[in-house]
């Protein structure tokens, strides 16, 4: 007698949610890369987060920074993080290149966050693998 597998609704829900997050993020990266308007933003704050990273490469820290830019007389801001060594000097008062969507400037990111160009394809591949797992449930 062949047993039928029980499919878990909670498992399907979790996998489909994670898959949707990867797809939405990939679409966001594609939109910024294709339709984004590039400008420079002023760094407003810069700080080191927590302690040394527990990785094989020693002396690496996570730095969190906030930035601000102006579009049509309105201020918009954003946040990002980067991994650098401890001798990385603070970019006090500096500027970074960012990209934003003209229709909604609050959707923005530093240019280095969606470079290289194949990064969205990696997210889509992960979403397809999750879809394959979802079909197996």
């Amino acid at each position: 007698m062949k047993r039928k597998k029980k499919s878990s609704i909670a498992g399907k829900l979790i996998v489909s949610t994670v898959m949707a997050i990867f797809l939405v993020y990939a679409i966001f990266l594609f939109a910024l890369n294709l339709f984004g308007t590039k400008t420079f933003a002023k760094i407003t704050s810069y700080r080191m987060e927590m302690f040394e990273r527990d990785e094989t490469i020693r002396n690496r820290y996570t730095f969190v920074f906030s930035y601000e830019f102006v579009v049509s007389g309105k201020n918009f801001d954003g946040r990002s993080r980067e991994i650098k060594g401890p001798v990385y000097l603070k970019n006090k008062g500096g500027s970074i290149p960012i990209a934003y969507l003209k229709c909604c400037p609050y959707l923005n990111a530093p240019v280095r966050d969606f470079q290289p160009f194949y990064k969205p394809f990696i997210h889509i591949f992960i979403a397809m693998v999750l879809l394959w797992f979802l079909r197996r449930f």
Side-chain angles (χ1 to χ4, degrees), residues 5-24:
K5 283 186 180 180
K6 283 187 175 180
S7 63
S8 170
I9 295 174
K12 284 184 179 182
L13 185 65
I14 290 171
V15 171
S16 61
T17 302
V18 172
M19 181 185 68
I21 290 170
F22 272 103
L23 281 177
V24 167

Side-chain angles (χ1 to χ4, degrees), residues 37-103:
T37 304
K38 293 180 176 48
T39 187
F40 285 92
K42 181 183 173 195
I43 293 179
T44 56
S45 72
Y46 197 87
R47 65 182 175 87
M48 185 171 52
E49 186 178 73
M50 298 296 284
F51 306 105
E52 182 179 354
R53 295 174 61 88
D54 189 23
E55 297 176 346
T56 56
I57 301 173
R58 306 280 301 166
N59 291 326
R60 303 284 282 177
Y61 298 90
T62 303
F63 291 94
V64 179
F65 61 93
S66 300
Y67 56 88
E68 179 175 273
F69 62 101
V70 179
V71 176
S72 301
K74 293 183 181 179
N75 285 340
F76 293 95
D77 62 351
R79 285 169 223 61
S80 188
R81 47 185 76 206
E82 60 186 350
I83 300 169
K84 296 284 184 181
V87 293
Y88 185 69
L89 298 174
K90 291 185 178 182
N91 196 355
K92 191 81 167 178
S95 62
I96 57 169
I98 63 156
Y100 66 92
L101 296 178
K102 276 192 174 186
C103 62

Side-chain angles (χ1 to χ4, degrees), residues 1-5:
M1 183 178 224
K2 194 172 183 181
R3 285 182 115 176
K4 186 177 178 182
K5 283 186 180 180

